[in-house]
Amino acid sequence: MSETLQQLLDISIFWEYRTVLLRGLAVNFYVFVCAAIVALSLGLGAALLRVSRRRPLRALGTLHVEIFRNAPDYVMVVWVHFVLPLLIGTLLHTRFELNPFVSAIIALGFVYSGYFAETFRAGIEAVPIGQIEAGRSCGMSDRHILWRIVLPQVVRRMLPESINQFISLFKATTIVSLIAVPDLMYQVSMITQQEMRPLPLYTGAALVYFAVILVASYALRAASERWRNKIFA
Amino acid sequence: MSEVPTIRVVDVHKRFGSLEVLKGVSFEVHRGNVVSMIGASGSGKSTLLRCINHLETPTTGDIFIEGESLCFRGDAAGSRAPRPLSEINRMRRDLGTVFQQFNLWPHMTVLGNVIEAPNRVRGLSRKAAAQLGGECLARVHLEDKALEYPARLSGGQQQRVAIARALAMQPKVMLFDEPTSSLDPELTDEVLGVMRELAADGTTMIVVTHEMGFAREVSDRVMFLHNGLIEEEGPPDQMFGAPKSERFRQFIAKYLY
């Protein structure tokens, strides 16, 4: 009995497969970074629409936020990978397929753009109007004020909240295995099918994710606090 | 005077919804003049100052900066179109504004605040802008704080940085909107002191203020606003020595205690 348990818990199998598992983890990071870039750019765009002076643009921004913030990421991944190509293919009368990487990055990027848009918007609205008027009265254009006065402060203000969102996004990258993106979870399930030893493999995966996220979030928080303290005394 | 006035305000009205804050204000400020605008809160003096740098658009009327219309662009045919924002921004470079709330940019150092617009709006090189910025900081006696962040400075120091930032645009006129109203009493003197020095150097200034001592001693001309109109104006000695209107008499009586 104890021997069975020992064999069950023996995590050394995880070490045996380290190269393929590390490659899987690298895929997680790759999807994370690309989806984060998509999410941040679209999120900024949607936030700028939401603070626009024109009502139709504001409505468009709100629509974007509400659609993607309320879409479950799993559903989005499946929809983008399986339904969107069908739609496009039917419209163009051709066969159309999306690379699983591309689907994963688009789906996660759009879902998280909804969250980032709200964080950006809160940060933009927190910049006192007087600072913007000070820029205007020096003859700065709106674009100059946005890039040099508003956004540098927004980034600092939104850091603590966006660290949480980055963590959620990183966790969400584990569902891309469902559309056969070869990430860590995908590799673990493949190896499990060969070895029939789910316990050490899945436990190992859980520990790896846990360690990566814990270390990264502590490092990011410490760095962001030091950077913020200089100006928000 | 035959010279073109630095600022000419012509029949400016400003309406917010049903509330008419300015009911037709006209005056001129010539080069080297120091004009103080005083009056109770709600009299329209801050709104008037904000119209001069187009942070508020006058409902009717116009402002001329060295003879050039701020609100309208006339073409050869004589038709008038509202001036586009890009041109207003160009004209704003000639107006240095100091706000009640300082409005420094907290993510930039003191020097960064001062050289941002000279560098990126006027197009001076970073080196030339830094040189100019240093000179402007010296004029407000803060050259040793160049590398601090605004959050580390006192209110009086922050307001002096804001003055240096406005000076660095080498404006034709400096606009002060209640520059000491959000300062503790012991910090107002350092700011007023800097403003006295600017006035003595011949800087053209329009100052909205509640500091009657400053208005009386430093200005060439005082304007008393009441309910959106200039109720009384003149040289400070005459204004404070022999006030003509009953309202102005009542207003200054409150400051004599």
Side-chain angles (χ1 to χ4, degrees):
Chain A
M1 172 66 195
S2 73
E3 201 180 308
T4 335
L5 188 66
Q6 209 173 12
Q7 204 205 342
L8 254 176
L9 280 175
D10 182 12
I11 209 139
S12 65
I13 184 170
F14 205 77
W15 184 248
E16 277 170 39
Y17 283 96
R18 61 188 176 279
T19 22
V20 70
L21 291 174
L22 266 179
R23 219 178 296 140
L25 189 63
V27 168
N28 279 112
F29 275 112
Y30 175 70
V31 172
F32 167 76
V33 169
C34 294
I37 291 170
V38 172
L40 286 170
S41 341
L42 286 174
L44 175 60
L48 291 178
L49 289 179
R50 291 202 76 180
V51 299
S52 161
R53 266 170 289 205
R54 293 194 192 121
R55 192 194 290 268
L57 294 183
R58 282 208 301 275
L60 201 63
T62 309
L63 190 70
H64 178 102
V65 169
E66 293 305 345
I67 288 176
F68 295 109
R69 204 173 45 161
N70 295 311
D73 32 22
Y74 174 41
V75 176
M76 272 295 282
V77 167
V78 171
W79 194 88
V80 168
H81 191 59
F82 297 110
V83 182
L84 187 63
L86 268 180
L87 273 178
I88 295 174
T90 314
L91 284 174
L92 299 179
H93 304 291
T94 52
R95 214 176 124 71
F96 187 81
E97 271 183 21
L98 277 177
N99 177 308
F101 273 105
V102 175
S103 307
I105 288 162
I106 292 176
L108 292 179
F110 270 79
V111 167
Y112 279 82
S113 73
Y115 295 105
F116 278 115
E118 284 302 88
T119 316
F120 269 118
R121 184 175 67 109
I124 291 170
E125 285 173 351
V127 175
I129 182 77
Q131 289 185 27
I132 293 161
E133 292 186 341
R136 291 207 178 115
S137 57
C138 289
M140 291 179 187
S141 64
D142 284 352
R143 177 186 296 250
H144 183 155
I145 291 172
L146 177 69
W147 285 100
R148 295 283 303 170
I149 308 295
V150 176
L151 284 183
Q153 294 186 63
V154 169
V155 169
R156 287 167 172 87
R157 273 179 207 279
M158 66 188 271
L159 264 175
E161 201 186 325
S162 31
I163 289 171
N164 293 333
Q165 283 164 2
F166 283 131
I167 291 169
S168 302
L169 175 57
F170 187 73
K171 289 179 182 167
T173 62
T174 58
I175 62 170
V176 301
S177 54
L178 291 161
I179 55 169
V181 176
D183 79 328
L184 176 57
M185 277 304 282
Y186 180 87
Q187 305 291 9
V188 164
S189 47
M190 289 296 120
I191 299 165
T192 306
Q193 281 175 22
Q194 287 170 22
E195 301 273 351
M196 301 305 281
R197 289 179 58 200
L199 196 146
L201 285 163
Y202 280 110
T203 310
L207 287 175
V208 167
Y209 281 124
F210 174 77
V212 165
I213 292 170
L214 188 75
V215 170
S217 59
Y218 267 93
L220 283 173
R221 281 202 185 95
S224 92
E225 276 316 296
R226 275 180 49 188
W227 196 41
R228 281 162 50 85
N229 279 344
K230 229 173 18 180
I231 61 165
F232 299 124
Chain B
M1 262 184 262
S2 58
E3 165 205 14
V4 179
T6 306
I7 297 286
R8 187 155 69 93
V9 174
V10 180
D11 196 29
V12 164
H13 291 251
K14 178 65 189 180
R15 189 187 280 281
F16 293 105
S18 63
L19 182 71
E20 192 167 30
V21 180
L22 295 174
K23 298 172 182 169
V25 176
S26 304
F27 65 93
E28 290 180 0
V29 178
H30 287 266
R31 187 131 62 92
N33 279 178
V34 176
V35 175
S36 291
M37 295 203 281
I38 58 179
S41 37
S43 59
K45 54 195 191 313
S46 281
T47 305
L48 179 55
L49 198 76
R50 288 168 62 83
C51 283
I52 295 175
N53 66 8
H54 215 276
L55 287 178
E56 304 288 355
T57 310
T59 311
T60 59
D62 201 354
I63 288 110
F64 295 85
I65 300 166
E66 289 195 336
E68 194 180 2
S69 163
L70 179 64
C71 301
F72 298 99
R73 174 163 73 171
D75 61 17
S79 68
R80 296 201 313 169
R83 199 176 273 285
L85 188 61
S86 59
E87 290 185 14
I88 289 170
N89 281 335
R90 173 180 57 75
M91 294 179 73
R92 276 173 172 157
R93 298 178 196 178
D94 293 332
L95 310 168
T97 309
V98 177
F99 299 87
Q100 183 178 345
Q101 299 295 343
F102 329 139
N103 294 337
L104 296 179
W105 303 308
H107 58 295
M108 296 181 185
T109 62
V110 163
L111 188 65
N113 269 273
V114 175
I115 69 175
E116 174 69 17
N119 179 209
R120 288 170 190 266
V121 177
R122 278 245 194 254
L124 293 183
S125 70
R126 261 197 95 71
K127 207 176 148 198
Q131 163 92 25
L132 172 69
E135 287 163 16
C136 293
L137 283 173
R139 288 183 78 182
V140 300
H141 315 295
L142 284 173
E143 56 273 46
D144 55 330
K145 300 285 186 195
L147 301 179
E148 291 281 10
Y149 281 86
R152 311 245 336 223
L153 304 183
S154 72
Q157 289 171 330
Q158 289 191 43
Q159 190 62 299
R160 282 147 65 200
V161 173
I163 293 173
R165 176 174 69 180
L167 286 174
M169 289 301 282
Q170 299 172 305
K172 295 182 172 129
V173 57
M174 289 281 284
L175 309 175
F176 292 86
D177 188 5
E178 302 197 26
T180 58
S181 294
S182 54
L183 293 174
D184 294 334
E186 70 268 26
L187 298 177
T188 59
D189 284 347
E190 63 184 67
V191 172
L192 292 176
V194 164
M195 289 168 64
R196 279 172 205 272
E197 289 167 21
L198 294 182
D201 290 347
T203 312
T204 312
M205 295 162 63
I206 302 177
V207 186
V208 170
T209 187
H210 290 288
E211 295 288 335
M212 290 308 129
F214 179 87
R216 188 169 186 169
E217 290 154 34
V218 182
S219 339
D220 303 300
R221 192 148 52 96
V222 175
M223 297 194 315
F224 172 65
L225 269 80
H226 180 77
N227 277 344
L229 288 168
I230 298 176
E231 175 94 7
E232 185 169 345
E233 67 174 314
D237 290 342
Q238 181 193 313
M239 289 275 287
F240 288 93
K244 279 182 276 196
S245 81
E246 184 53 35
R247 286 207 186 89
F248 183 52
R249 215 178 316 227
Q250 284 169 4
F251 177 78
I252 52 176
K254 277 185 262 172
Y255 282 90
L256 293 179
Y257 294 104

